[in-house]
Amino acid sequence: MSGQQSIRDTFFEECEELLEALVEGLAEMEDPDHSKETVNAVFRAVHSIKGGAGAFGLDELVHFAHTFETVLDKVRSDTLEADPDLLKLFQRSGDQLANLVEAARDDKDPNRDAQAVVLGELQKYLGAEDAEEEIVFDAMGLDFGAELVLPDLLDIEDTSDSSESADSSDGQSSLKIAIRFAPKRSLFENGHEPLLLFDAIAELGTLTVSADTSAIPAFAAFDPAEPGIIWKLTLETSESETVLHEVFEFVDSLCDIDIKVQQQEKQSAAPSETIEAEQPKAQAAPDVPEASAAPEAPEMSPERPARGPVKQPAPSSSAASAPANTAAAADRDHRGPKPTLRVDLDRVDRLINTVGELIINQAMIVQRIEELDLPSGANLTNELEAYKLLARDIQEGVMAIRAQPVKPLFQRMSRIVREASDATGKNARMVTVGDATEVDKTVIERLADPLTHMVRNAVDHGLESPEKRRAMGKDEIGTIRMSAAHRSGSVFIEIGDDGAGLNRPRILETAIKKGLIAPDAELSETEIDNLLFLPGFSTAAEVSALSGRGVGMDVVKNAVQALGGRVSITSTPGRGTTFTIILPLTLAVMDGFVISVAQETMVIPIASILETITPHARDLHRIGMYGEVLRVRGRYVPIVDVAQNLGLQRNVDTNGNGVLLLVETEMQELNALRVDAIHDQRQVVIKSLESNYGRIPGVSAATILGDGKIALILDPEELVKLNSDDVAPMPIIANQEDLHHAFHS
Amino acid sequence: MHSTPEASEAKTFEFVAFSAGSQSYCLEITQIREIRRWAPVTALPHTPSDVLGVMNLRGAVIPIFDLAARFGLGKTPDNERNVVIVAAAGGNTIGLLVESVSEILSVNTDTIQQTPDIKSEATRNSIQGVIAVDEEMIRVVNLDAVLGADAGLAA
């Protein structure tokens, strides 16, 4: 049972990859110069989904994929031209296919209405002859007894496919095709069975099969695991050659195959004797009985019993390949499996944790050795440095495993854009930039929902109706732009629209009406924009079916904050709105300054610090009772006392001014954080405080230092905020010098 | 853990007895992960006084509570015998600073008495029952209640 479940899981995982390839291919097809291979790739993706779906009895999915595939096949065989309308339909079909896959995976009901519409449109492209063909799957039960059943199913699936594609071919004069089929060892190891393939071919026409046993070595050197027979097949068929390629589609990397269209049937006189004649009898004599058993051998004895060097069956030497054959070869190259490895996420995470411990341990060792006070220039120091670099390399390598391009996420969003524009009657296109940007897998997963919401919002509320856009002299088709980029240790993801921009008066009005702000509040534009993030805020005049789902932007903000990120808005009336999500690159480590604040050791992320300043007394000025500012190149920057904001008592004995760290908040406001001293710069492993305790304002997480002690990681952004609202300023027991300074500045 | 002494089937449970704020308490042994010597912790800002800070437990960051302070018995004075009981409570791992750990008790469930009906509801909730050992009354701590909502623990 669980075995079947895992096969099912694998199928859906593969579906995801196939859907990705499908979307990619469809996008390429929009380029008028796309290669034939692109169409083939799209076709293959749909076809493979259909094949797998058939094996799991997902009839709806099979039916849809089949219709989709049949139309694609017409494009592939040049009987149908892929004009923009059709491409758009393909896009929507791809969306529906993805929906169906998701529905099947989650055992939910798909949106049948939308599906029926797309299906209907697809069927319009089909002639009467291929509109209602029966899709027959012979062995579609869910009874997975033996491990070898799945490949068999695929083979059989092929059969049905070939028979159905028959209709799409012209089916006029019959062809005579010679096939040279030399299975590789891997074909048998993957549980394929030539007999089933031959059966499938036999259904296409009249088939003659003969075995060329010349490649079978002498008995002493014989390796039962090594296939020795080269099969020669002659097929007389009315089918097109592509159908034949489909039969071998699932094994084409597992065998040497050479398909030659010999001649049209009319001229064909030579029956199979010619091929029969090629079979050399002389050499094969003692081996033949074994040889016939050879193909089955690997299934029965997985370990390789032979030791002598066994020659692979001679590769096809025939240079004269039909044009279609080179296409098939190109096919193979393109399809050559990306060398990837599917690994259980748990294992990766365990590895990441261990590497985190390694980094901590390395810091500990360094600290211990420093305590030994070795003479300077000791070799040990160099080795330690190398150790540090190695640990860092390992750590970065491990983190890279988790990093994934945002492409699939963006692709999903373009689907959302299409769905949303369909639902709202708006025209929208999606532009993505930087979709190769890699982000931690967890971040990608947890961003899906907030992004979906934001993209829907952008189409629903951001873009104007086509009429309005036309009236304003804009392109009728609105653009939703998604970009991702790495910038200074963070990931920036932007979702922008070229719509009307935020309607600030209305936002203000709504906020006042909902009692979120006082009626007489004076707010800056940025502050008004940020009202969107308040819980219980929704600007939609009437809650639309699309974006009004009880989720507000506050949910988006919370989701992003939970990932250690931030969201900000910029908006220009008439020009559009852009949301920017800033996320940490990884969730596991960061570079930080080790600082001390009121005798406590803490860490502050380097990424957030613009500059460190050891202030001169003449640059410090007091404002009011507790306020203090720093003059930086003619600009006055408020000073935020970290100790005070954390409710720690600052030791007034230490030199009063400490070190100032210049930080910029998301609102582009400068602030200077006052700390006692900076001790070191190092990579620290981020440990969650929330998992065992909870959130503490001004603190984003904790880390473990070289001495095994815990240091808190500060959140500069929040520290600054604490300054402005939450914390009532505690009077510092100012020392005489401070007071003196205040009076004379 | 049963606070109902009427339980028809008497079972034996093991408790670790300790002292906090000069009173005797105990915790069921299965809740306890380990017992460590007290070592200075990293203080957390913006936390109540019974939250001493966080410490490193083999790479995990766990909060340490002063149990006596939590029960309103005043802060535990510094002492060499002070220990931290690392316990699991509601999915979290936490540490409790106590004065000392005394013994392991094997107790039959029917010898656990219901918490006397005292006025303070908070106390009634945080004490699951009492066990009489010789002359002493040992209070069975209800860890989840003690570290309830106001502990700052994320749910």
Side-chain angles (χ1 to χ4, degrees), chain A residues 357 360 364 600-601 645-648 687-697 699 702-704 708-712 722 727, chain B residues 40-48 51 54-63 65 91-94 150-155:
Chain A
E357 298 303 309
I360 291 167
M364 284 184 183
E600 296 277 349
T601 307
N645 276 12
L646 292 177
L648 301 170
K687 297 275 178 183
S688 161
L689 267 179
E690 280 161 63
S691 58
N692 280 319
Y693 185 71
R695 252 192 94 69
I696 294 170
V699 177
T703 188
I704 297 170
K709 288 231 186 74
I710 290 171
L712 301 179
L722 283 176
V727 176
Chain B
V41 295
T42 302
L44 293 175
H46 304 302
T47 47
V51 179
V54 283
M55 78 170 196
N56 169 15
L57 181 76
R58 287 180 301 278
V61 178
I62 65 164
F65 298 87
N92 296 309
T93 306
I94 53 108
D150 62 332
L153 285 169

Side-chain angles (χ1 to χ4, degrees), chain A residues 85 88-96 99 111 113-115 117-118 121 413-429 455-456 458-460 463-464 466 477-478 480 545-546 549:
Chain A
D85 278 348
K88 215 165 164 200
L89 177 60
F90 281 165
Q91 294 271 16
R92 287 167 53 212
S93 307
D95 296 347
Q96 288 307 322
N99 284 341
N111 181 349
D113 299 340
Q115 185 207 328
V117 172
V118 177
E121 287 183 45
M413 292 310 130
S414 57
R415 212 169 108 199
I416 305 288
V417 168
R418 281 194 295 274
E419 282 173 2
S421 44
D422 276 356
T424 55
K426 290 175 182 174
N427 279 335
R429 80 165 79 83
V455 166
R456 276 201 189 118
V459 176
D460 197 10
L463 296 180
E464 312 93 326
I477 303 172
I480 305 291
L546 191 63
R549 293 184 190 206

Side-chain angles (χ1 to χ4, degrees), chain A residues 272-287:
Chain A
S272 48
E273 288 104 283
T274 38
I275 292 141
E276 223 82 63
E278 282 173 32
Q279 189 176 339
K281 296 253 156 66
Q283 178 191 1
D287 301 336

Side-chain angles (χ1 to χ4, degrees), chain A residues 74-110:
Chain A
K74 286 185 165 256
V75 175
R76 191 164 74 142
S77 58
D78 289 327
T79 48
L80 190 65
E81 199 204 335
D83 56 18
D85 278 348
L86 184 57
L87 281 176
K88 215 165 164 200
L89 177 60
F90 281 165
Q91 294 271 16
R92 287 167 53 212
S93 307
D95 296 347
Q96 288 307 322
L97 195 64
N99 284 341
L100 278 165
V101 168
E102 262 167 41
R105 183 189 56 204
D106 306 338
D107 256 335
K108 281 196 250 157
D109 273 344

Side-chain angles (χ1 to χ4, degrees), chain B residues 4-47:
Chain B
T4 46
E6 301 86 13
S8 55
E9 215 175 299
K11 269 187 172 171
T12 306
F13 281 97
E14 283 191 310
F15 292 89
V16 173
F18 53 88
S19 125
S22 313
Q23 298 184 348
S24 300
Y25 291 91
C26 67
L27 265 175
E28 209 225 324
I29 205 160
T30 54
Q31 290 184 290
I32 297 178
R33 294 285 165 270
E34 63 183 271
I35 293 169
R36 325 185 100 218
R37 191 178 291 279
W38 164 254
V41 295
T42 302
L44 293 175
H46 304 302
T47 47

Side-chain angles (χ1 to χ4, degrees), chain A residues 177-178 241 245 258-262 318-329:
Chain A
I177 303 171
E241 193 191 337
H245 281 289
D258 185 15
I259 298 176
K260 265 193 274 184
V261 182
Q262 287 190 323
S318 64
S321 3
N325 195 33
T326 47

